[in-house]
Amino acid sequence: MAAIKAVNSKAEVARAQAALAVNICAARGLQDVLRTNLGPKGTMKMLVSGAGDIRLTKDGNVLLHEMQIQHPAASLIAKVATAQDDVTGDGTTSNVLIIGELLKQADLYISEGLHPRIIAEGFEAAKIKALEVLEEVKVTKEMKRKILLDVARTSLQTKVHAELADVLTEAVVDSVLAVRRPGYSIDLFMVEIMEMKHKLGTDTKLIQGLVLDHGARHPDMKKRVEDAFILICNVSLEYEKTEVNSGFFYKTAEEKDKLVKAETKFIENRVQKIIDLKDKVCASNKGFVVINQKGIDPFSLNTLAKHGIVALRRAKRRNMERLSLACGGMAVNSFEDLTVDCLGHAGLVYEYTLGEEKFTFIIEECVNPRSVTLLVKGPNKHTLTQVKDAMRDGLRAIKNAVEDGCMVPGAGAIEVAMAEALVSYKNSIKGRAHLGVQAFADALLITPKVLAQNAGYDPQETLVKVQAEHVESKQLVGIDLNTGEPMVAADAGVWDNYCVKKQLLHSCTVIATNILLVDEIMRAGMSSLKG
């Protein structure tokens, strides 16, 4: 009897072989759910919420976030896989597959009496060797647009169909190149993702400027302004109550009028400063646009409209920084010392109405925009969500490639190379730990096997061809999913992120080892024993 039973008769316990079997079964169950999603030929999953909302996706991160996972070991693997996505932006499905396969391979040896600790030692040795192989085969190149297009295409084709991936690839790469600044890390928050329920997913495009999700609030303001100066401000242009609780007393109607005039005069002075600046800088054919984070009252809007100024109020705070990066100029908090230097410039500003929603496009001929917008279009909510998820992964893939300064060949090539190296390496390890290295090598091959299986080819036959080609050619050979034949991944332009593979090896080994070394599961916490 377990010792915990003597202390607490209500505790639930699974021991030794039973505990391991339960955990391995959970890991393989999660692996079976996600294995059909891997790669460009992977299938979709339909998630239905309690409220009946439908979500179509093949993104492992979305699936693991949205699924309700009850088993503790499966939940642990899911958390590690989603942490992988948080760190590197990709590799969630691969993470779950490799952990499941490591435990499956270990189980074959444990069932023959090998102790889990020895396998864990073998895993650790294999991980160190695999990381060395990764360092050797990584390809360091100058990250030019052509290379980044290949990296983005490889990432996006695993999330959306090929035709849409080709459209998104160009947009995503150009957006990252626009916001990249030498000497600074890439800030992906400067790429706004705006969605419009309109047209098709393939109409998604990059706007070299900013798109705001609201329009001007006065009917007489122009809907289209060319060659416009942009004033970005955070100044209230409406009457506000005093900060202290005060009352005003008057004896006659004249005194009341004076009071009202004094209140409006304060705002009118601010509006007049904008008009004076406009008159100073604008020739007859130039436009002037005011974008304010705070409110603008109807009287002020009317005055600005009479002078041909387009004014937008209550702009979102996150857009204020983006505006100054996209159009130049700087955001002002006071109109005391307004100068021409405060103004940005855009070649074209126009308003677009879609149903009841208004969009303001601040685009075209922005001077060196360092903040851009990816305008996602789609006929329904499913498409919009799918494209947005794919874009986020594509952006992260490019950012990783630029910051790493290197890539590794994809299409299962790197896993085949690592497995080959580990099989040679195991003979140099003395004792039974070399069985752990063999298990690790076999587990890595799950990636090429599943890629082939999802494309409709025989996994064993395809893998044997690829391994034979790898040995003969001494090149990194992956699987061509269109023909099922071996191909040199680098020549085909299939690249994976170096940091994703590195993180995969670390996290998979740690979690698989921890789960292997669990020999007792106790449900004996305080909360589970009440009553």
Side-chain angles (χ1 to χ4, degrees):
M1 181 188 279
I4 190 77
K5 284 282 190 185
V7 181
N8 191 328
S9 58
K10 289 185 181 177
E12 297 173 28
V13 183
R15 296 203 66 189
Q17 289 293 325
L20 193 58
V22 165
N23 285 341
I24 290 174
C25 185
R28 291 184 64 180
L30 196 59
Q31 183 195 41
D32 288 341
V33 171
L34 290 185
R35 71 185 295 151
T36 54
N37 291 14
L38 188 73
K41 303 279 186 179
T43 50
M44 308 283 274
K45 295 280 186 285
M46 182 188 283
L47 287 168
V48 185
S49 72
D53 292 334
I54 294 171
R55 190 154 186 185
L56 289 167
T57 185
K58 61 194 281 199
D59 187 340
N61 183 44
V62 173
L63 280 167
L64 293 173
H65 269 300
E66 301 282 336
M67 284 194 308
Q68 284 190 328
I69 299 170
Q70 304 243 310
H71 193 285
S75 178
L76 177 68
I77 294 169
K79 280 176 185 163
V80 170
T82 50
Q84 159 101 16
D85 191 270
D86 295 339
V87 174
T88 62
D90 205 355
T92 330
T93 310
S94 304
N95 208 314
V96 173
L97 289 183
I98 293 173
I99 291 173
E101 197 63 18
L102 282 169
L103 293 174
K104 178 184 165 187
Q105 296 295 336
D107 192 32
L108 297 174
Y109 293 106
I110 291 168
S111 62
E112 292 175 6
L114 190 63
H115 195 280
R117 172 59 71 188
I118 292 166
I119 291 187
E121 287 170 9
F123 279 1
E124 192 59 34
K127 179 190 85 172
I128 293 165
K129 178 63 179 173
L131 287 168
E132 285 174 15
V133 174
L134 190 67
E135 287 292 330
E136 286 168 19
V137 301
K138 72 179 183 184
V139 179
T140 305
K141 284 190 178 184
E142 188 185 344
M143 291 297 153
K144 292 188 175 172
R145 188 171 182 273
K146 184 177 181 300
I147 300 287
L148 292 176
L149 284 170
D150 287 339
V151 172
R153 191 176 291 108
T154 306
S155 173
L156 288 167
Q157 282 187 345
T158 63
K159 308 288 184 289
V160 290
H161 60 85
E163 187 188 351
L164 180 54
D166 288 341
V167 174
L168 299 184
T169 299
E170 299 258 343
V172 167
V173 171
D174 290 339
S175 65
V176 174
L177 291 175
V179 300
R180 180 166 72 162
R181 293 157 70 189
Y184 293 87
S185 65
I186 296 169
D187 184 2
L188 294 180
F189 286 106
M190 291 302 107
V191 181
E192 168 85 327
I193 298 179
M194 179 68 69
E195 54 185 64
M196 282 174 91
K197 207 172 186 179
H198 177 50
K199 296 190 178 176
L200 298 172
T202 47
D203 292 311
T204 297
K205 60 182 177 180
L206 171 68
I207 305 290
Q208 293 280 359
L210 216 61
V211 180
L212 306 179
D213 53 359
H214 53 88
R217 288 286 181 269
H218 195 283
D220 295 342
M221 285 181 179
K222 293 177 185 173
K223 303 293 183 205
R224 182 184 178 89
V225 183
E226 292 183 13
D227 196 12
F229 285 105
I230 312 281
L231 175 62
I232 307 157
C233 53
N234 181 21
V235 180
S236 177
L237 292 175
E238 59 187 346
Y239 164 66
E240 289 183 356
K241 290 182 179 174
T242 51
E243 287 184 13
V244 290
N245 194 10
S246 56
F248 295 98
F249 301 95
Y250 41 83
K251 300 188 196 70
T252 61
E254 286 80 18
E255 284 185 9
K256 184 188 175 188
D257 286 345
K258 271 187 184 176
L259 182 68
V260 173
K261 277 179 185 170
E263 284 176 345
T264 55
K265 182 74 177 155
F266 177 66
I267 300 300
E268 280 172 5
N269 287 345
R270 286 182 169 177
V271 174
Q272 191 57 47
K273 283 179 181 171
I274 296 175
I275 294 166
D276 292 344
L277 182 66
K278 188 248 179 184
D279 293 340
K280 181 179 169 186
V281 299
C282 283
S284 57
N285 59 343
K286 292 215 172 193
F288 198 92
V289 179
V290 177
I291 298 169
N292 193 9
Q293 191 179 334
K294 291 187 176 167
I296 306 175
D297 64 23
F299 295 112
S300 303
L301 281 171
N302 195 33
T303 311
L304 292 169
K306 279 179 185 172
H307 287 82
I309 296 172
V310 178
L312 283 82
R313 64 185 179 191
R314 306 205 190 284
K316 290 189 174 69
R317 187 180 169 193
R318 70 169 193 271
N319 284 331
M320 300 309 279
E321 184 184 353
R322 289 180 175 144
L323 275 164
S324 54
L325 284 170
C327 307
M330 54 184 168
V332 294
N333 291 317
S334 159
F335 290 153
E336 294 307 313
D337 44 5
L338 270 183
T339 62
V340 182
D341 298 334
C342 302
L343 298 176
H345 182 270
L348 174 64
V349 178
Y350 67 93
E351 188 180 291
Y352 184 90
T353 306
L354 180 65
E356 293 179 4
E357 295 180 352
K358 287 183 178 179
F359 295 88
T360 301
F361 287 74
I362 301 172
I363 60 167
E364 289 185 27
E365 297 167 40
C366 288
V367 183
N368 187 21
R370 292 207 306 274
S371 178
V372 293
T373 304
L374 286 166
L375 189 61
V376 179
K377 295 189 180 182
N380 51 44
K381 199 176 167 200
H382 312 313
T383 309
L384 290 172
T385 311
Q386 194 183 350
V387 173
K388 273 174 74 177
D389 288 340
M391 273 190 163
R392 287 204 177 93
D393 286 355
L395 288 167
R396 293 286 294 277
I398 300 161
K399 180 178 186 238
N400 291 341
V402 172
E403 291 183 350
D404 289 342
C406 59
M407 310 88 58
V408 292
I414 190 76
E415 286 82 3
V416 171
M418 282 180 189
E420 187 76 33
L422 288 174
V423 170
S424 307
Y425 171 68
K426 76 171 183 185
N427 298 323
S428 65
I429 292 194
K430 294 186 172 69
R432 291 176 296 168
H434 84 265
L435 296 172
V437 177
Q438 179 65 51
F440 197 96
D442 293 340
L444 286 175
L445 294 174
I446 185 72
T447 305
K449 276 187 201 167
V450 171
L451 283 172
Q453 194 173 0
N454 289 349
Y457 303 110
D458 181 82
Q460 275 76 25
E461 185 188 350
T462 311
L463 183 60
V464 168
K465 279 185 198 169
V466 170
Q467 286 175 315
E469 183 69 26
H470 172 72
V471 173
E472 277 178 34
S473 66
K474 300 292 181 203
Q475 287 182 297
L476 291 174
V477 179
I479 302 167
D480 183 343
L481 297 184
N482 294 319
T483 62
E485 296 298 316
M487 68 168 183
V488 178
D491 295 350
V494 180
W495 298 104
D496 281 337
N497 284 136
Y498 165 75
C499 64
V500 172
K501 295 295 182 190
K502 189 175 176 182
Q503 179 77 15
L504 259 177
L505 289 169
H506 280 295
S507 56
C508 292
T509 312
V510 169
I511 295 304
T513 303
N514 283 349
I515 291 174
L516 274 180
L517 295 177
V518 169
D519 74 334
E520 196 158 356
I521 305 171
M522 293 176 279
R523 192 185 287 267
M526 293 299 291
S527 58
S528 64
L529 298 175
K530 283 179 182 169

